[in-house]
Amino acid sequence: NNYNINDNIQSNKNANTEGNTGTTTTNDDQNQDQQGEQGNSKRRDRRLLSDGTRIIRFRNGSQKEIDPENQRVTVRFANGDLKTTLRDSGIIVYYYSNADITHTTHPD
């Protein structure tokens, strides 16, 4: 899978997930995510969108989005920063919202 990093950052800046329709949460999905994920006691709300995207909202205002193919994970922090990890390529993109700066880390 090839993702356009700039499109991903822009779509993450503009995304609004408050009014999602067709969202479901399953017990099997909840149990699977609880394994191996740190801080699960801080988890507040979980949603499974109709396209397969999983969204986990934390009490501190952060939100984690996992794409249906489990290749892209985006964390939206309460301060507006975004961290996107592309698992297939190992690229990590961090967007600092206050400074409007994007930092991209490539694997060695």
Side-chain angles (χ1 to χ4, degrees):
N1 293 330
N2 293 324
Y3 295 104
N4 183 321
I5 301 296
N6 292 328
D7 288 346
N8 185 40
I9 292 295
Q10 187 60 42
S11 68
N12 284 330
K13 283 192 229 178
N14 297 330
N16 178 359
T17 58
E18 290 299 322
N20 291 325
T21 58
T23 61
T24 60
T25 303
T26 64
N27 290 333
D28 291 340
D29 198 26
Q30 285 176 343
N31 294 336
Q32 182 181 10
D33 275 342
Q34 286 177 356
Q35 297 172 357
E37 187 172 296
Q38 294 180 347
N40 56 10
S41 64
K42 296 180 188 272
R43 183 166 38 247
R44 180 176 73 177
D45 183 37
R46 304 181 80 272
R47 294 178 187 258
L48 178 62
L49 303 183
S50 58
D51 70 354
T53 300
R54 290 179 288 159
I55 297 177
I56 304 165
R57 292 185 182 159
F58 298 90
R59 288 189 179 132
N60 67 2
S62 296
Q63 176 176 298
K64 184 180 206 178
E65 298 177 16
I66 304 166
D67 79 328
E69 295 155 2
N70 205 29
Q71 292 299 312
R72 181 180 61 220
V73 177
T74 300
V75 179
R76 299 170 189 271
F77 297 96
N79 66 357
D81 288 5
L82 299 169
K83 179 183 177 185
T84 300
T85 303
L86 305 176
R87 291 183 175 173
D88 56 348
S89 65
I91 295 173
I92 299 171
V93 180
Y94 197 100
Y95 172 73
Y96 299 89
S97 66
N98 287 339
D100 196 27
I101 293 174
T102 301
H103 180 259
T104 303
T105 303
H106 297 269
D108 289 335

Coordinates of all heavy atoms in Angstrom, one line a residue, residues 13-68:
K13 N -6.1 16.7 9.5 CA -6.4 18.0 10.0 C -7.8 18.3 9.9 O -8.4 19.0 10.8 CB -5.5 19.1 9.3 CG -4.1 19.1 9.7 CD -3.5 20.4 9.1 CE -2.3 20.1 8.3 NZ -1.7 21.3 7.7
N14 N -8.4 17.9 8.8 CA -9.8 18.3 8.5 C -10.9 17.3 9.0 O -12.0 17.6 8.9 CB -10.0 18.5 7.0 CG -9.1 19.7 6.5 OD1 -8.8 20.6 7.2 ND2 -8.6 19.6 5.3
A15 N -10.4 16.2 9.4 CA -11.4 15.1 9.7 C -12.3 15.5 10.9 O -11.8 16.1 11.9 CB -10.7 13.8 10.0
N16 N -13.5 15.1 10.9 CA -14.4 15.3 12.0 C -15.1 13.9 12.2 O -15.9 13.6 11.3 CB -15.4 16.4 11.7 CG -16.4 16.6 12.8 OD1 -16.3 15.8 13.8 ND2 -17.3 17.5 12.7
T17 N -14.9 13.3 13.3 CA -15.5 11.9 13.5 C -16.6 12.0 14.5 O -17.1 10.9 14.9 CB -14.4 11.0 14.0 OG1 -13.8 11.5 15.2 CG2 -13.3 10.8 12.9
E18 N -17.0 13.2 14.9 CA -18.1 13.2 15.9 C -19.4 12.7 15.4 O -20.1 12.0 16.2 CB -18.3 14.7 16.3 CG -17.1 15.3 17.1 CD -16.9 14.5 18.4 OE1 -17.9 14.1 19.1 OE2 -15.7 14.3 18.8
G19 N -19.8 12.9 14.2 CA -21.1 12.5 13.7 C -21.1 11.2 12.9 O -21.9 11.1 12.0
N20 N -20.3 10.2 13.2 CA -20.2 9.0 12.5 C -21.5 8.2 12.6 O -22.1 8.1 13.6 CB -19.0 8.1 13.0 CG -17.7 8.7 12.7 OD1 -17.5 9.3 11.6 ND2 -16.8 8.6 13.6
T21 N -21.9 7.7 11.4 CA -23.1 6.9 11.4 C -22.6 5.5 11.1 O -21.6 5.3 10.5 CB -24.1 7.3 10.4 OG1 -23.5 7.3 9.1 CG2 -24.6 8.7 10.7
G22 N -23.4 4.5 11.4 CA -23.0 3.1 11.1 C -21.8 2.6 12.0 O -21.1 1.8 11.5
T23 N -21.7 3.1 13.1 CA -20.6 2.7 14.0 C -21.0 1.6 14.9 O -22.2 1.6 15.4 CB -20.0 3.8 14.8 OG1 -21.0 4.3 15.7 CG2 -19.4 4.9 14.0
T24 N -20.2 0.6 15.1 CA -20.5 -0.5 16.0 C -19.3 -0.8 16.8 O -18.1 -0.5 16.4 CB -20.9 -1.7 15.2 OG1 -19.8 -2.1 14.4 CG2 -22.2 -1.5 14.4
T25 N -19.5 -1.4 18.0 CA -18.4 -1.9 18.8 C -18.7 -3.3 19.1 O -19.8 -3.6 19.6 CB -18.3 -1.1 20.1 OG1 -18.1 0.3 19.7 CG2 -17.1 -1.5 20.9
T26 N -17.7 -4.2 18.9 CA -18.0 -5.6 19.2 C -17.1 -6.0 20.4 O -16.0 -5.5 20.6 CB -17.6 -6.5 18.0 OG1 -16.2 -6.3 17.7 CG2 -18.4 -6.1 16.8
N27 N -17.6 -7.0 21.2 CA -16.8 -7.5 22.3 C -15.5 -8.2 21.9 O -14.5 -8.0 22.5 CB -17.6 -8.5 23.1 CG -18.8 -7.8 23.9 OD1 -18.7 -6.6 24.2 ND2 -19.8 -8.5 24.1
D28 N -15.5 -8.9 20.7 CA -14.3 -9.6 20.3 C -13.3 -8.5 19.9 O -12.1 -8.7 20.2 CB -14.6 -10.4 19.0 CG -15.4 -11.7 19.4 OD1 -15.4 -12.0 20.6 OD2 -16.1 -12.2 18.5
D29 N -13.7 -7.4 19.2 CA -12.8 -6.4 18.8 C -12.2 -5.7 20.1 O -11.0 -5.4 20.1 CB -13.5 -5.4 17.9 CG -12.6 -4.5 17.1 OD1 -11.5 -5.0 16.9 OD2 -13.0 -3.4 16.8
Q30 N -13.1 -5.4 21.1 CA -12.6 -4.8 22.3 C -11.5 -5.7 23.0 O -10.5 -5.2 23.4 CB -13.7 -4.6 23.3 CG -14.6 -3.4 22.9 CD -15.8 -3.3 23.8 OE1 -16.1 -4.2 24.6 NE2 -16.4 -2.2 23.8
N31 N -11.8 -7.0 23.1 CA -10.8 -7.9 23.7 C -9.5 -7.9 23.0 O -8.5 -7.9 23.6 CB -11.4 -9.3 23.9 CG -12.6 -9.3 24.8 OD1 -12.7 -8.4 25.7 ND2 -13.5 -10.3 24.7
Q32 N -9.6 -7.9 21.7 CA -8.4 -8.0 20.8 C -7.5 -6.7 21.0 O -6.3 -6.8 21.2 CB -8.7 -8.1 19.4 CG -7.5 -8.3 18.5 CD -8.0 -8.4 17.0 OE1 -9.1 -8.2 16.7 NE2 -7.0 -8.7 16.2
D33 N -8.2 -5.6 21.1 CA -7.4 -4.3 21.2 C -6.9 -4.2 22.6 O -5.8 -3.5 22.8 CB -8.3 -3.1 20.9 CG -8.3 -2.8 19.4 OD1 -7.4 -3.3 18.7 OD2 -9.2 -2.1 19.0
Q34 N -7.5 -4.7 23.6 CA -7.0 -4.6 25.0 C -5.7 -5.4 25.2 O -4.9 -5.0 26.0 CB -8.1 -5.1 26.0 CG -9.2 -4.1 26.1 CD -10.3 -4.7 27.1 OE1 -10.2 -5.8 27.6 NE2 -11.3 -3.9 27.3
Q35 N -5.5 -6.4 24.4 CA -4.3 -7.2 24.5 C -3.1 -6.4 23.9 O -3.2 -6.0 22.7 CB -4.4 -8.5 23.9 CG -5.5 -9.4 24.6 CD -5.7 -10.7 23.8 OE1 -5.2 -10.9 22.8 NE2 -6.6 -11.5 24.4
G36 N -2.1 -6.2 24.6 CA -0.9 -5.6 24.0 C -1.0 -4.1 23.8 O -0.1 -3.5 23.3
E37 N -2.0 -3.4 24.3 CA -2.1 -2.0 24.2 C -1.9 -1.4 25.6 O -2.7 -1.7 26.4 CB -3.4 -1.6 23.6 CG -3.5 -0.1 23.3 CD -4.8 0.2 22.5 OE1 -4.9 -0.3 21.4 OE2 -5.6 0.9 23.0
Q38 N -0.9 -0.5 25.7 CA -0.7 0.1 27.0 C -1.7 1.1 27.3 O -2.3 1.8 26.4 CB 0.7 0.7 27.1 CG 1.8 -0.3 27.0 CD 3.2 0.4 27.0 OE1 3.3 1.6 26.9 NE2 4.2 -0.4 27.2
G39 N -2.0 1.3 28.6 CA -2.9 2.4 29.0 C -4.4 2.1 28.7 O -5.2 3.0 28.6
N40 N -4.7 0.8 28.6 CA -6.1 0.5 28.3 C -7.1 0.9 29.4 O -8.3 1.0 29.1 CB -6.3 -1.0 27.8 CG -5.9 -1.9 28.9 OD1 -5.6 -1.6 30.0 ND2 -5.8 -3.2 28.5
S41 N -6.6 1.2 30.6 CA -7.5 1.6 31.6 C -7.9 3.1 31.4 O -8.9 3.5 31.9 CB -6.8 1.5 33.0 OG -5.7 2.4 33.0
K42 N -7.2 3.8 30.5 CA -7.5 5.2 30.2 C -8.5 5.3 29.0 O -8.9 6.3 28.6 CB -6.3 6.0 29.9 CG -5.4 6.1 31.1 CD -4.1 6.9 30.8 CE -3.2 6.8 31.9 NZ -3.3 7.9 32.9
R43 N -8.8 4.1 28.4 CA -9.6 4.1 27.2 C -11.0 4.5 27.6 O -11.5 4.1 28.6 CB -9.6 2.7 26.5 CG -10.4 2.7 25.3 CD -10.2 1.5 24.4 NE -10.0 0.3 25.0 CZ -8.9 -0.4 25.0 NH1 -7.9 0.1 24.4 NH2 -8.8 -1.6 25.6
R44 N -11.7 5.3 26.8 CA -13.0 5.7 27.1 C -14.0 5.2 26.1 O -15.1 4.7 26.5 CB -13.0 7.3 27.1 CG -14.4 7.8 27.5 CD -14.4 9.3 27.6 NE -14.3 9.8 26.3 CZ -14.3 11.1 26.0 NH1 -14.4 12.0 27.0 NH2 -14.2 11.6 24.8
D45 N -13.8 5.4 24.9 CA -14.8 5.1 23.9 C -14.2 4.4 22.7 O -13.1 4.8 22.2 CB -15.5 6.4 23.4 CG -16.6 6.2 22.5 OD1 -17.3 5.2 22.6 OD2 -16.7 7.0 21.6
R46 N -14.8 3.4 22.2 CA -14.3 2.6 21.0 C -15.4 2.6 20.0 O -16.5 2.4 20.3 CB -13.9 1.2 21.4 CG -12.9 1.1 22.5 CD -12.6 -0.3 22.8 NE -11.6 -0.8 21.9 CZ -11.9 -1.4 20.7 NH1 -13.1 -1.6 20.4 NH2 -11.0 -1.9 19.9
R47 N -15.0 2.8 18.7 CA -16.0 2.7 17.6 C -15.4 1.9 16.4 O -14.2 2.0 16.2 CB -16.4 4.1 17.1 CG -17.1 4.8 18.2 CD -17.5 6.2 17.7 NE -18.0 7.0 18.8 CZ -19.3 7.2 18.9 NH1 -20.2 6.8 18.1 NH2 -19.8 7.9 20.0
L48 N -16.2 1.2 15.8 CA -15.8 0.5 14.5 C -16.7 1.2 13.4 O -17.9 1.0 13.5 CB -16.1 -1.0 14.6 CG -15.7 -1.8 13.4 CD1 -14.3 -1.6 13.0 CD2 -16.1 -3.2 13.6
L49 N -16.1 1.9 12.5 CA -16.8 2.5 11.4 C -17.2 1.5 10.4 O -16.6 0.4 10.3 CB -16.0 3.6 10.8 CG -15.5 4.7 11.8 CD1 -14.8 5.8 11.0 CD2 -16.7 5.3 12.6
S50 N -18.2 1.9 9.6 CA -18.7 1.0 8.5 C -17.6 0.6 7.5 O -17.7 -0.4 6.9 CB -19.9 1.6 7.8 OG -19.6 2.9 7.3
D51 N -16.6 1.5 7.3 CA -15.5 1.1 6.4 C -14.4 0.2 7.0 O -13.5 -0.1 6.4 CB -14.9 2.4 5.8 CG -14.1 3.2 6.8 OD1 -14.1 2.8 8.0 OD2 -13.4 4.2 6.4
G52 N -14.6 -0.1 8.3 CA -13.6 -1.0 9.0 C -12.6 -0.2 9.8 O -11.8 -0.8 10.6
T53 N -12.6 1.1 9.8 CA -11.7 1.9 10.6 C -12.1 1.8 12.0 O -13.2 1.9 12.4 CB -11.7 3.4 10.2 OG1 -11.3 3.5 8.8 CG2 -10.8 4.2 11.0
R54 N -11.1 1.6 12.9 CA -11.3 1.5 14.4 C -10.9 2.8 15.0 O -9.8 3.3 14.7 CB -10.5 0.4 15.0 CG -11.1 -1.0 14.6 CD -10.3 -2.1 15.2 NE -9.0 -2.2 14.5 CZ -8.0 -2.8 15.0 NH1 -8.0 -3.3 16.2 NH2 -6.8 -2.8 14.3
I55 N -11.7 3.4 15.8 CA -11.4 4.6 16.5 C -11.4 4.4 18.0 O -12.4 3.8 18.5 CB -12.3 5.8 16.1 CG1 -12.2 6.0 14.6 CG2 -12.0 7.0 17.0 CD1 -13.1 7.1 14.1
I56 N -10.4 4.8 18.7 CA -10.3 4.6 20.2 C -10.1 6.0 20.7 O -9.1 6.7 20.4 CB -9.2 3.7 20.6 CG1 -9.3 2.3 20.0 CG2 -9.2 3.6 22.2 CD1 -8.1 1.5 20.1
R57 N -11.0 6.5 21.6 CA -10.9 7.8 22.2 C -10.5 7.6 23.6 O -11.1 6.8 24.3 CB -12.2 8.6 22.1 CG -12.5 8.9 20.7 CD -13.8 9.8 20.6 NE -14.1 10.1 19.2 CZ -15.2 10.4 18.8 NH1 -16.2 10.5 19.6 NH2 -15.4 10.7 17.5
F58 N -9.6 8.4 24.1 CA -9.1 8.3 25.4 C -9.6 9.5 26.3 O -9.9 10.5 25.7 CB -7.5 8.3 25.4 CG -6.9 7.1 24.7 CD1 -6.7 7.2 23.3 CD2 -6.7 6.0 25.4 CE1 -6.2 6.1 22.7 CE2 -6.2 4.9 24.7 CZ -5.9 5.0 23.3
R59 N -9.6 9.3 27.6 CA -10.1 10.3 28.5 C -9.3 11.6 28.4 O -9.8 12.7 28.7 CB -10.1 9.8 29.9 CG -11.2 8.8 30.1 CD -11.3 8.4 31.6 NE -12.3 7.5 31.7 CZ -12.2 6.4 32.4 NH1 -11.1 6.1 33.1 NH2 -13.2 5.5 32.5
N60 N -8.0 11.6 28.1 CA -7.2 12.8 28.0 C -7.4 13.6 26.7 O -6.8 14.6 26.5 CB -5.7 12.4 28.1 CG -5.2 11.6 27.0 OD1 -5.9 11.3 26.0 ND2 -3.9 11.2 27.0
G61 N -8.4 13.2 25.9 CA -8.7 13.9 24.7 C -8.0 13.4 23.4 O -8.3 13.8 22.3
S62 N -7.1 12.4 23.6 CA -6.4 11.9 22.4 C -7.3 10.8 21.7 O -8.2 10.3 22.4 CB -5.1 11.2 22.8 OG -4.2 12.1 23.4
Q63 N -7.0 10.6 20.5 CA -7.8 9.7 19.7 C -6.9 8.9 18.8 O -6.0 9.4 18.1 CB -8.8 10.4 18.9 CG -9.7 9.6 17.9 CD -10.7 10.4 17.2 OE1 -11.6 11.0 17.9 NE2 -10.6 10.5 15.9
K64 N -7.1 7.6 18.7 CA -6.3 6.7 17.9 C -7.2 6.1 16.8 O -8.3 5.6 17.1 CB -5.7 5.6 18.7 CG -4.8 4.6 18.0 CD -4.3 3.6 19.0 CE -3.0 3.0 18.7 NZ -2.5 2.0 19.7
E65 N -6.7 6.2 15.6 CA -7.5 5.7 14.4 C -6.6 4.6 13.7 O -5.5 4.8 13.4 CB -7.8 6.7 13.4 CG -8.7 7.8 14.0 CD -8.9 8.9 13.0 OE1 -8.7 8.7 11.7 OE2 -9.4 10.0 13.4
I66 N -7.2 3.4 13.5 CA -6.5 2.3 12.9 C -7.3 2.0 11.6 O -8.4 1.7 11.7 CB -6.4 1.1 13.8 CG1 -5.7 1.5 15.1 CG2 -5.6 0.0 13.1 CD1 -5.9 0.5 16.2
D67 N -6.6 2.0 10.5 CA -7.2 1.8 9.2 C -7.6 0.3 9.1 O -7.1 -0.5 9.8 CB -6.4 2.2 8.0 CG -5.3 1.2 7.6 OD1 -4.8 0.6 8.5 OD2 -4.9 1.1 6.5
P68 N -8.6 0.0 8.2 CA -9.1 -1.4 8.1 C -8.0 -2.4 7.8 O -8.2 -3.6 8.2 CB -10.1 -1.3 7.0 CG -10.4 0.1 6.8 CD -9.2 0.9 7.3

